[in-house]
Amino acid sequence: MAVRLRPSISVPVHSRHARCSKPFLSPTTSSHFQLLATKMSAPEAENKAPTYTTKTIDSHLHIWASPQEAADKYPYFPGQEPYLPGHVDFLIQHMEEAGVDGALIVQPINHKFDHSLVTSVLKKYPSKFVGCCLANPAEDGSGIKQLEHLILKDGYRAVRFNPYLWPSDQLMTNDIGKAMFSKAGELGVPVGFMCFKGLNLHISEIEELCTDNPSTTVLLDHLAFCVPPITDEEALAVSNLLKLSRFPQVYVKLSALFRVSREKFPYRDLTSMLSQLVCTFGANRIMWGSDFPFVIPECGYKGAREAVSTIANQVPLSSSELEWIMGGTIMQLFQGHWLSP
């Protein structure tokens, strides 16, 4: 039986402070943002905190087998051997030190379509972790059946679309991609997009899939890989990201800040982008994520959490908005998890 994930809490959390009256401008261009100005200067809506006790939940991290686990039971995919430790005990240690209560585990490319390791962790820690499986766009359609099995049998509650796993001459809007995206909506699980080479390359695919399947929730990993713009192309990417807010089903992960910032920790140059995201999407459609374990050599796991507070103070965000971003949004989206003491 499919588990529905559509949010049941309906609250207007677009806290449109004075910061929202001005669009975020690139040093080199402003034309891409003029269409957003009217929307951003709309009357302020009431900002409410979640109606439950919010925990700190990481919306994006990975785990993989230790070398010993890989040798014994969970082999790495050939050519994808990790260069960092990422076993679950290592993760839990860092979560405890940082005061993080739970997380969404995204299936790593290191094990590709073999989900057995992550599945074992989900079963061992059912109240701590939720799983996001990896979509297999095999041309024979076998990935659709695998998706159904992972969700209905193994309990995964999200799926990741990696466009670079599709055949090089095909898009995520091919027949297989459309079928999997539609199936995700039918099963009530969000689809995460990993636009590693830039949102501009994939924006038309995402828009088409959202338009054709408004019931399928979308998660944009790592700010859709948009960076604080200094070129017209970068400004267009940020514009495309903000305009995706017109689709109510789209959420943004404020994750892997080290990947999208031009600065070192605490990544203060992301302040303006976060401000505009809150103005356009609302804090209840934004969620923090670390991108563990890749974040460890960058600023550490605890630093990943602290950076968001630093940036939020610069915006500034209200305490309720920060509460949504640090846990309220993902708890609302994946209802029934992380609610126990």
Side-chain angles (χ1 to χ4, degrees):
M1 180 178 178
V3 179
R4 305 305 301 175
L5 300 184
R6 303 299 296 174
S8 64
I9 303 174
S10 179
V11 290
V13 291
H14 288 66
S15 181
R16 299 185 183 278
H17 305 306
R19 68 171 190 268
C20 296
S21 62
K22 295 181 180 180
F24 177 49
L25 302 180
S26 158
T28 59
T29 181
S30 62
S31 60
H32 301 306
F33 295 91
Q34 298 307 311
L35 292 176
L36 294 172
T38 300
K39 181 176 182 180
M40 292 181 185
S41 60
E44 291 190 7
E46 183 182 4
N47 176 37
K48 296 181 180 179
T51 57
Y52 43 78
T53 300
T54 305
K55 297 185 176 183
T56 299
I57 305 297
D58 189 337
S59 74
H60 195 107
L61 54 75
H62 308 279
I63 59 167
W64 45 71
S66 66
Q68 187 61 53
E69 289 174 322
D72 292 344
K73 193 172 182 180
Y74 305 112
Y76 305 127
F77 188 81
Q80 296 291 346
E81 295 79 7
Y83 59 90
L84 290 170
H87 55 277
V88 68
D89 292 340
F90 185 56
L91 166 63
I92 291 175
Q93 173 189 339
H94 282 281
M95 290 176 68
E96 290 176 348
E97 291 173 353
V100 175
D101 301 297
L104 178 67
I105 299 177
V106 180
Q107 170 72 8
I109 196 65
N110 310 84
H111 294 285
K112 208 167 183 181
F113 302 123
D114 178 1
H115 289 72
S116 55
L117 170 69
V118 174
T119 300
S120 71
V121 171
L122 297 178
K123 290 179 179 178
K124 186 175 181 179
Y125 301 99
S127 63
K128 196 173 193 70
F129 298 119
V130 170
C132 174
C133 60
L134 181 62
N136 181 356
E139 294 183 83
D140 62 2
S142 58
I144 301 173
K145 290 294 185 183
Q146 183 185 31
L147 175 62
E148 287 186 289
H149 179 90
L150 288 167
I151 294 167
L152 299 178
K153 302 296 184 182
D154 292 336
Y156 286 78
R157 297 192 66 179
V159 56
R160 188 183 213 192
F161 275 31
N162 180 342
Y164 316 109
L165 294 177
W166 262 252
S168 58
D169 61 340
Q170 297 187 40
L171 301 175
M172 292 183 290
T173 48
N174 66 0
D175 290 343
I176 296 298
K178 286 184 175 180
M180 285 196 294
F181 192 84
S182 177
K183 178 61 66 174
E186 176 186 328
L187 296 173
V189 300
V191 173
F193 286 101
M194 200 272 282
C195 304
F196 186 74
K197 297 180 181 180
L199 178 61
N200 291 340
L201 292 176
H202 307 292
I203 184 64
S204 62
E205 298 164 79
I206 294 172
E207 290 177 330
E208 181 178 342
L209 291 169
C210 287
T211 299
D212 292 346
N213 300 273
S215 65
T216 302
T217 300
V218 167
L219 310 177
L220 300 173
D221 296 346
H222 311 332
L223 294 170
F225 287 86
C226 293
V227 300
I230 59 175
T231 68
D232 287 354
E233 182 179 1
E234 291 167 350
L236 177 59
V238 177
S239 175
N240 283 331
L241 171 60
L242 296 177
K243 287 188 286 187
L244 284 173
S245 65
R246 72 186 188 274
F247 295 104
Q249 77 236 56
V250 176
Y251 292 70
V252 180
K253 289 185 181 181
L254 183 68
S255 54
L257 302 188
F258 65 92
R259 294 187 186 275
V260 294
S261 173
R262 299 181 185 278
E263 301 180 358
K264 294 186 180 298
F265 174 85
Y267 316 120
R268 297 176 189 273
D269 62 336
L270 297 175
T271 299
S272 293
M273 193 181 300
L274 176 57
S275 175
Q276 291 306 306
L277 284 169
V278 173
C279 289
T280 53
F281 284 87
N284 68 330
R285 290 167 64 190
I286 303 170
M287 59 191 81
W288 166 73
S290 69
D291 201 22
F292 173 94
F294 300 108
V295 73
I296 296 299
E298 300 293 335
C299 66
Y301 190 81
K302 189 175 181 180
R305 176 181 179 176
E306 293 172 347
V308 179
S309 296
T310 299
I311 298 168
N313 287 336
Q314 287 186 257
V315 172
L317 298 183
S318 69
S319 59
S320 295
E321 287 171 323
L322 185 58
E323 190 176 357
W324 278 107
I325 292 169
M326 296 306 296
T329 298
I330 192 169
M331 289 179 70
Q332 174 182 260
L333 193 59
F334 296 98
Q335 292 180 37
H337 282 268
W338 307 300
L339 295 179
S340 59

